[in-house]
Amino acid sequence: MPPIRSIVAATDFSAEATQACWRAAGLAAESGAALTLLHVVEADALTALRDWLDPRRDIGTAIGEQARML
């Protein structure tokens, strides 16, 4: 089996997701792999956020643009 080079763990900040992220962090530390944590939200949450910030802005596009800048 090839060595693990990277691990991605998604979280919605629930207790279960937090436990999974801790496990992913432990595996990354043990294997020397890079760890990426990904925060996920439901589409309805994005709509609420957009309406709160600026109803004219497409928040999905804005998040994608921000992610590409990293």
Side-chain angles (χ1 to χ4, degrees), residues 5-43:
R5 294 187 307 212
S6 64
I7 297 172
V8 176
T11 183
D12 59 1
F13 296 120
S14 65
E16 294 84 2
T18 299
Q19 184 178 5
C21 287
W22 277 110
R23 179 66 178 133
L27 289 172
E30 290 172 14
S31 65
L35 174 63
T36 301
L37 296 178
L38 174 69
H39 178 224
V40 295
V41 295
E42 294 181 29

Side-chain angles (χ1 to χ4, degrees), residues 36-70:
T36 301
L37 296 178
L38 174 69
H39 178 224
V40 295
V41 295
E42 294 181 29
D44 291 344
L46 289 178
T47 300
L49 179 62
R50 181 200 63 220
D51 291 344
W52 182 69
L53 293 173
D54 183 354
R56 298 164 300 192
R57 187 169 187 196
D58 179 2
I59 195 72
T61 300
I63 289 171
E65 290 170 356
Q66 183 69 30
R68 284 187 289 281
M69 290 172 37
L70 296 177

